[in-house]
Amino acid sequence: MQFKLEQKVKVAVTYKLADSVIEILEARDWKRPMLLCSAFQLRHPLIEEMMEKLRDMDRACVVFDGIIPDPPAYTINNGAALCKENGCDCLIAIGGGSAIDTARGINIVRKYGGKIEDFVAKREITEPCEGLIAVPTTSGTGSELSNALVVSDDETHEKLAVLSNNAVSEYALLCPPLTATLPAQMTAACGMDAFAHAAEGYTSALSSPITDAICEKVMYLIAKYLPQAVANGYDLEARERVMVAACLAGWMLNNAGTHLGHSQAHILGAKFHIPHGAACAYALPGTILYTADADVKKVKEIGLILGAEFPADPTDLEVGRITADSIRRFRDEVLHMKPWSEYNISDEQVLACAAEVAHERFAGNFPLEVTEELCSRMLEQWG
């Protein structure tokens, strides 16, 4: 049977990061943690408190702060070597998707050896990679629950995916205060990434009645609470709700997948150095417009979640256009995301990516036949 729902990660919401980490370490008798985070995050009071308490317990962290956005393969391989040299028995990853993806890659290599590039298409991950505590500081990628690890090729800078249900985190700690200082633009872009995970998963060829229910709730939570988190980063109730939504959306990546919106984001994001969440936000309206040809009922539901109003007996095209416009309004007028025009990338440059988008790994999850012509029409709606 093809089961449609699986979740292996142990998840907790906490406002006491140090105590929660210590509880896990003591329960598993882990004594030599490796901490992965950006250098500036080491100064966060909650992280400083955690490190101090771990030192007092003779569990001082080996620190790896060489986190790079869209983590290149060499970063993961270097981190795995450092982990092995210091005899680390677990990892604590604190940060956004890049930090957690880096840690997940290190966890694979420290268990199986070799290089992370080996696992893109060649080597299978046959057993769970234990020992990773993921602590997200953004609410978007869902990497703490996702089974998809994105790594950049060192030479081509192409984004490559490692997919395995055995490569997920073992624990995920959602600590809303860690997200309080995230800038408004980044909060908005990360939230739109999570919304895209849910919207694309909802309309994916891999969707099921069970994943649909969760995707609907994720979109509802983001529509309701993301504007509050953007307006006031210290609204911890809004931060918590968005963090939970993003986590659940990351779970849906494993069970329903994404499709052409993320294919566009991966190709154009890598080529033009567009932050992933922003790229997803620019891709989503056009993607949903043409998804209406496959599942108009679900596309209409997305519009209703965002407050759209529909005429009586609308055509499929009308539903697609109204829902696409509702996504743009939410993105531009409610969240006030950076306009696409400010990137100074021409329409011709965007349209030139159609063939690559059509052959991107996740395009096959789209509920209709994917052609270069379809991708061109979607890219005409970009932004």
Side-chain angles (χ1 to χ4, degrees):
M1 292 181 67
Q2 291 293 315
F3 293 102
K4 294 297 184 180
L5 200 66
E6 181 179 5
Q7 209 295 93
K8 297 182 177 181
V9 186
K10 303 171 184 68
V11 186
V13 176
T14 180
Y15 286 76
K16 296 180 178 180
L17 177 64
D19 293 347
S20 296
V21 168
I22 289 168
E23 185 175 346
I24 293 171
L25 295 183
E26 290 184 330
R28 297 302 304 274
D29 197 28
W30 289 330
K31 300 184 184 301
R32 187 64 165 160
M34 181 175 179
L35 173 64
L36 297 94
C37 68
S38 300
F40 76 90
Q41 289 176 324
L42 293 172
R43 300 189 295 272
H44 193 287
L46 290 178
I47 298 175
E48 287 183 333
E49 178 193 21
M50 180 194 74
M51 293 182 70
E52 182 178 353
K53 286 188 174 183
L54 290 175
R55 282 193 296 268
D56 291 343
M57 298 174 61
D58 198 25
R59 281 182 165 93
C61 294
V62 174
V63 176
F64 180 78
D65 60 4
I67 306 301
I68 299 174
D70 301 322
Y74 72 82
T75 303
I76 291 173
N77 295 327
N78 290 346
L82 181 67
C83 188
K84 183 177 180 179
E85 289 168 9
N86 287 273
C88 297
D89 56 4
C90 63
L91 297 91
I92 305 168
I94 303 179
S98 294
I100 296 173
D101 276 4
T102 298
R104 289 169 58 212
I106 290 172
N107 213 26
I108 294 169
V109 176
R110 82 182 183 100
K111 178 178 178 66
Y112 286 95
K115 302 182 296 182
I116 192 61
E117 299 97 306
D118 301 336
F119 298 91
V120 172
K122 302 173 187 175
R123 292 186 63 181
E124 188 176 351
I125 302 169
T126 57
E127 297 178 356
C129 296
E130 298 178 341
L132 173 58
I133 304 169
V135 186
T137 59
T138 64
S139 301
T141 67
S143 186
E144 63 274 13
L145 259 65
S146 170
N147 67 355
L149 156 66
V150 178
V151 58
S152 297
D153 185 282
D154 294 343
E155 295 180 358
T156 66
H157 305 292
E158 179 186 4
K159 291 187 177 182
L160 307 172
V162 178
L163 292 174
S164 175
N165 286 335
N166 286 322
V168 295
S169 311
E170 187 170 359
Y171 298 89
L173 297 178
L174 309 183
C175 184
L178 288 176
T179 67
T181 57
L182 194 69
Q185 278 293 311
M186 192 175 295
T187 298
C190 290
M192 284 301 298
D193 184 15
F195 191 92
H197 290 162
E200 292 177 45
Y202 189 48
T203 54
S204 164
L206 302 177
S207 66
S208 70
I210 296 175
T211 61
D212 286 350
I214 298 169
C215 288
E216 287 171 358
K217 186 63 174 182
V218 168
M219 290 186 285
Y220 167 80
L221 288 171
I222 292 172
K224 181 173 182 178
Y225 290 103
L226 182 59
Q228 297 177 34
V230 169
N232 176 13
Y234 289 91
D235 182 339
L236 293 184
E237 179 189 9
R239 289 289 194 185
E240 179 185 298
R241 295 288 84 197
V242 174
M243 194 168 229
V244 168
C247 184
L248 291 173
W251 178 26
M252 291 301 95
L253 291 174
N254 310 351
N255 294 277
T258 56
H259 53 69
L260 279 173
H262 268 64
S263 295
Q264 294 170 67
H266 288 157
I267 298 300
L268 275 74
K271 191 178 294 290
F272 302 119
H273 306 291
I274 307 165
H276 177 69
C280 290
Y282 301 134
L284 189 59
T287 302
I288 292 302
L289 171 63
Y290 290 105
T291 304
D293 291 336
D295 198 329
V296 68
K297 182 178 179 181
K298 285 186 177 180
V299 168
K300 185 176 181 181
E301 188 66 30
I302 294 170
L304 291 171
I305 288 170
L306 290 172
E309 296 182 356
F310 295 89
D313 301 316
T315 66
D316 293 358
L317 181 60
E318 285 177 317
V319 170
R321 285 178 174 167
I322 291 170
T323 299
D325 287 343
S326 72
I327 294 169
R328 289 192 178 96
R329 278 195 300 273
F330 182 67
R331 181 192 69 196
D332 300 340
E333 299 175 19
V334 179
L335 303 180
H336 304 290
M337 279 189 60
K338 177 181 176 179
W340 167 243
S341 59
E342 292 186 13
Y343 284 87
N344 296 314
I345 298 169
S346 70
D347 293 344
E348 290 75 17
Q349 288 174 291
V350 172
L351 290 173
C353 298
E356 291 179 82
V357 170
H359 294 95
E360 198 273 339
R361 183 167 190 168
F362 297 108
N365 295 336
F366 192 67
L368 295 172
E369 180 184 2
V370 176
T371 63
E372 188 174 334
E373 190 271 337
L374 171 63
C375 294
S376 292
R377 284 189 282 136
M378 284 187 181
L379 289 169
E380 286 174 354
Q381 300 291 322
W382 182 273

